[in-house]
Amino acid sequence: SLPREHNDEDSVKICTLAKNCNNELKLVDTLDYELYKQLSYCSSGVLPPLATTLGGVIAQECLISITGKFSPLKQWLFLDATEVLQSLSNCDSSEYLFREDRYASLRICLGDSVLKKLAELKLFMVGCGAIGCEMLKGYAMLGVGQRNSNGAIIITDNDIIEKSNLNRQFLFRSQHIQQHKAVIAAASTKEINPDLNIQAQCYKVFPGTEEQVYNDEFYKHLDVVVNALDNVEARRYVDSRCVTTMKPLLESGTLGTKGHVQVILPEKTESYSSQQDPPEKDVPYCTLKSFPATIEHTIQWARDK
């Protein structure tokens, strides 16, 4: 069985086991006993973002095995998220005790105080496509923006659901085609976690909505902004608004098998627009289908046809 959550007796056993193994196998010169204690404390818990990442890797390996295409992983894969754990010196074990609710496994890893902060969070996410669906699932699993804690998740996307979206935007089903992404995404996320306070909007975030909708007063009440967009111009605009209003921004994007994520903190990190990536030859399908803006989009559309 797994060690009991935040149990000192079990953590001593884990550290002793690690020490004996290392003495026998001579693997490393020194052992990080704090890491082993954290492993013991949290091993019976579940951290949803980490589980999601591992699930994606496993799903890919299953497809590789079933289809017989490409090469499977033939190596150790080490992945951790110890940076989200509190230092053991500041650890109050009463915060991590098991309780019968949907956040029991998460509480073992993060503690009550962090769960409370997540529940009270006021978050604004721009875009409800492939990345947006994954983000919303994560918010639901983490209990972000709960109604009873005066938290909120505001999402906006002026796009509608197309049949081609269904293979990767898992919050949508065939009966949702031609409906607004934000509305359906909010409803589907509430089915996962009814505790959430999700407000769906269908506005475009651009200079035209800056005065009446997404003005400085709107940003004033937010804790964090999340980009789930598919074009650089929109990302730069949202980034500029976050710089102006001094709000943290979580920026992410995908293109084919490539992806990136960037955490932007006011007065601590550079902004998204501080650097410019080399131009991409490929065009995101959502941009090509719904918002073609350059002659290259027309050429790419013709090639795909």
Side-chain angles (χ1 to χ4, degrees), residues 44-58:
S44 58
V46 176
L47 192 61
L50 198 59
T52 297
T53 304
L54 187 59
V57 174
I58 294 172

Side-chain angles (χ1 to χ4, degrees), residues 36-288:
Y36 295 127
K37 287 186 69 175
Q38 288 179 328
L39 175 64
S40 174
Y41 283 1
C42 302
S43 60
S44 58
V46 176
L47 192 61
L50 198 59
T52 297
T53 304
L54 187 59
V57 174
I58 294 172
Q60 179 171 282
E61 291 302 297
C62 290
L63 289 174
I64 290 173
S65 177
I66 293 170
T67 60
K69 297 180 179 180
F70 309 107
S71 298
L73 286 174
K74 294 183 179 180
Q75 63 189 54
W76 287 100
L77 179 64
F78 178 79
L79 186 65
D80 74 73
T82 54
E83 65 274 8
V84 305
L85 303 177
Q86 293 191 39
S87 172
L88 294 179
S89 59
N90 302 324
C91 185
D92 180 4
S93 58
S94 63
E95 278 203 9
Y96 303 86
L97 296 180
F98 181 85
R99 299 174 195 171
E100 287 290 346
D101 60 22
R102 69 175 298 145
Y103 309 107
S105 297
L106 181 61
R107 182 178 293 105
I108 293 172
C109 298
L110 301 182
D112 262 334
S113 59
V114 175
L115 292 188
K116 183 179 179 182
K117 290 179 181 178
L118 291 172
E120 295 173 347
L121 204 64
K122 292 179 176 60
L123 180 149
F124 177 45
M125 187 174 77
V126 188
C128 298
I131 294 176
C133 287
E134 287 286 350
M135 292 289 194
L136 286 169
K137 179 194 69 176
Y139 304 153
M141 299 297 289
L142 291 170
V144 173
Q146 294 181 36
R147 184 183 303 104
N148 294 337
S149 300
N150 294 320
I153 300 172
I154 304 170
I155 59 176
T156 186
D157 195 320
N158 65 328
D159 197 7
I160 59 174
I161 301 167
E162 302 282 353
K163 186 176 181 179
S164 60
N165 300 147
L166 303 183
N167 69 333
R168 64 193 183 281
Q169 300 175 20
F170 56 85
L171 295 180
F172 309 140
R173 299 292 182 266
S174 56
Q175 66 267 26
H176 298 145
I177 293 174
Q178 295 301 306
Q179 298 185 53
H180 283 285
K181 286 185 176 181
V183 175
I184 300 302
S188 299
T189 307
K190 285 182 180 179
E191 289 183 11
I192 300 174
N193 188 348
D195 296 341
L196 304 191
N197 176 22
I198 305 182
Q199 304 168 24
Q201 300 177 354
C202 302
Y203 302 114
K204 185 177 180 180
V205 181
F206 75 125
T209 55
E210 186 172 319
E211 292 187 6
Q212 299 297 325
V213 185
Y214 303 120
N215 50 30
D216 289 354
E217 185 65 23
F218 171 81
Y219 281 90
K220 177 181 177 181
H221 300 284
L222 300 176
D223 295 313
V224 63
V225 179
V226 178
N227 268 351
L229 294 161
D230 62 358
N231 67 89
V232 174
E233 183 180 355
R235 289 187 175 106
R236 286 177 179 164
Y237 174 73
V238 175
D239 175 64
S240 69
R241 296 294 293 130
C242 290
V243 170
T244 302
T245 57
M246 301 289 288
K247 294 298 177 182
L249 173 65
L250 177 59
E251 159 60 32
S252 58
T254 62
L255 186 59
T257 58
K258 295 181 290 185
H260 84 276
V261 63
Q262 182 179 358
V263 178
I264 302 163
L265 301 175
E267 298 185 332
K268 290 189 177 181
T269 66
E270 65 178 8
S271 66
Y272 173 78
S273 302
S274 297
Q275 294 191 18
Q276 186 171 351
D277 294 331
E280 292 283 359
K281 296 181 180 179
D282 299 324
V283 181
Y285 184 81
C286 292
T287 299
L288 193 66

